[in-house]
Amino acid sequence: MPKPTARKRISAFITACFTVAAILVCLRFGEEILSVAGKLTGIQFLSFGMYAPPADGELLVRIIDVGQADSTLIQTTDAVILIDAGSEESEATLKAHLDAYKIEGIDYLICTHPHDDHIGGADMVIKEYGVKNLLTTHKFSEEASFKKLLNAAINGDVSVSVPYTGQTFSVGTVNFTVLGPLSEYNDENDTSLIIKLVFGETSFLFTGDASSKVENDLLSYYGEDVLDCDFYKIAHHGANTASCAEFLTAVSPTVAAASSGRNNEFGHPRGEVLSRLEKVGCKTILRTDLSGTMTLQSDGKVLTALSKYVE
């Protein structure tokens, strides 16, 4: 990946400063000033308000910008689910967002696999936001962030479980099923919990950092009918080791989102992955490295991107 020019680095730094300022301004003064800040940052927030709570009969999916890490907040009026909790480095950013969304309790914290960029802020989330249930993979890790997560769960009286493949959960009007892992994989990325979430007639697929090896196993085991979803959280931040063509054909999402850091050293999301998504008819591809935090809305029938990058 070519190194960014000095002008691009300066531009990226200024944009980052404006984005942080926008969050702080919103917390203090509300959405009217945020909309002005949004124009300066290149991020457009529609008039509903970036931090507005979900309305009755509505589900909101927040793809939180935690840099080269991962965290997705799912909200309805009767359910709060957090899938992954960013890195230790992005902990303050995650907390700022959860506070802005006025999160006071979390029904399920789902940690897809024990890597810092997915669980680094999980101990903070447990300590600060009243997590009721923690779902984690069977793969234990010696990483400090994983040990802190388990200690926080024990001290916080959180119900901890390793879900089995095929297990279903319901929270209010939200249902989700654990589709994997299907095997004892050696690579920790491949042990990621695979989650299919359903709200009304809309569906969402989260595969953590699972590789194409896992995707092929899922395709062989479930087939297209189960994997087909409206939304696909692009695996492994958009790495080319995942999101293979056959798998994307089965999922056939209309909306996809990649969580990756601006100008990251890996070149995520990879151009090859974006091209494969376009070829299977994905109409909207969202990227935190360009757009920052993004919000999707479902009324149970139609999925809509409420915030998007404006070039």
Side-chain angles (χ1 to χ4, degrees):
M1 180 180 178
K3 295 183 178 179
T5 64
R7 179 175 296 179
K8 287 184 177 179
R9 286 197 297 267
I10 294 172
S11 176
F13 175 75
I14 293 173
T15 300
C17 290
F18 270 121
T19 302
V20 172
I23 293 174
L24 296 176
V25 166
C26 179
L27 290 174
R28 178 62 181 86
F29 297 106
E31 65 176 278
E32 292 184 5
I33 296 180
L34 178 63
S35 66
V36 176
K39 294 178 182 178
L40 296 175
T41 64
I43 302 171
Q44 180 185 43
F45 304 110
L46 303 188
S47 60
F48 76 98
M50 180 181 178
Y51 298 105
D56 289 340
E58 176 183 74
L59 176 139
L60 298 179
V61 177
R62 323 270 198 178
I63 313 298
I64 300 175
D65 181 10
V66 284
Q68 188 64 21
D70 224 306
S71 188
T72 302
L73 179 68
I74 298 159
Q75 293 176 276
T76 65
T77 54
D78 53 10
V80 178
I81 299 169
L82 185 67
I83 301 180
D84 288 326
S87 63
E88 186 173 1
E89 182 180 356
S90 65
E91 188 175 282
T93 299
L94 176 60
K95 188 177 188 306
H97 279 83
L98 296 179
D99 286 345
Y101 300 136
K102 296 180 171 58
I103 299 301
E104 297 179 350
I106 295 176
D107 296 294
Y108 281 93
L109 170 60
I110 302 173
C111 293
T112 59
H113 64 292
H115 284 173
D116 179 74
D117 59 331
H118 288 250
I119 64 170
D123 62 312
M124 177 277 294
V125 170
I126 289 173
K127 293 172 184 176
E128 298 288 338
Y129 299 101
V131 173
K132 296 178 183 177
N133 302 281
L134 168 65
L135 301 184
T136 184
T137 179
H138 68 277
K139 191 78 170 182
F140 278 46
S141 171
E142 292 299 319
E143 284 200 26
S145 53
F146 185 71
K147 294 179 180 178
K148 289 196 298 182
L149 163 61
L150 292 184
N151 287 333
I154 293 170
N155 294 329
D157 195 27
V158 177
S159 174
V160 182
S161 62
V162 177
Y164 59 83
T165 298
Q167 189 169 359
T168 59
F169 299 84
S170 295
V171 190
T173 52
V174 178
N175 303 295
F176 64 92
T177 302
V178 179
L179 300 183
L182 292 171
S183 182
E184 294 286 339
Y185 300 102
N186 293 322
D187 190 326
E188 287 185 347
N189 285 329
D190 288 342
T191 67
S192 294
L193 294 178
I194 311 298
I195 305 294
K196 180 176 181 178
L197 184 143
V198 176
F199 178 73
E201 299 174 14
T202 56
S203 52
F204 308 78
L205 186 63
F206 302 86
T207 62
D209 280 355
S211 71
S212 295
K213 178 180 181 179
V214 174
E215 293 171 351
N216 287 322
D217 288 346
L218 291 168
L219 187 56
S220 297
Y221 189 83
Y222 292 108
E224 294 185 1
D225 289 344
V226 172
L227 295 176
D228 180 69
C229 284
D230 300 292
F231 171 81
Y232 171 57
K233 180 65 173 55
I234 302 174
H236 204 170
H237 318 283
N240 198 33
T241 55
S243 304
C244 66
E246 296 81 3
F247 182 72
L248 292 181
T249 299
V251 178
S252 62
T254 56
V255 181
S259 181
S260 54
R262 184 178 292 271
N263 297 324
N264 67 83
E265 62 182 303
F266 309 102
H268 294 162
R270 300 288 297 184
E272 302 95 322
V273 172
L274 302 179
S275 294
R276 290 197 289 269
L277 282 163
E278 291 173 354
K279 287 180 180 178
V280 300
C282 186
K283 298 178 181 178
T284 304
I285 302 174
L286 305 173
R287 300 169 51 175
T288 59
D289 65 319
L290 298 181
S291 307
T293 296
M294 300 165 291
T295 300
L296 308 174
Q297 179 229 34
S298 169
D299 62 2
K301 294 183 178 181
V302 178
L303 181 62
T304 306
L306 295 179
S307 52
K308 61 183 180 179
Y309 184 70
V310 180
E311 300 195 71

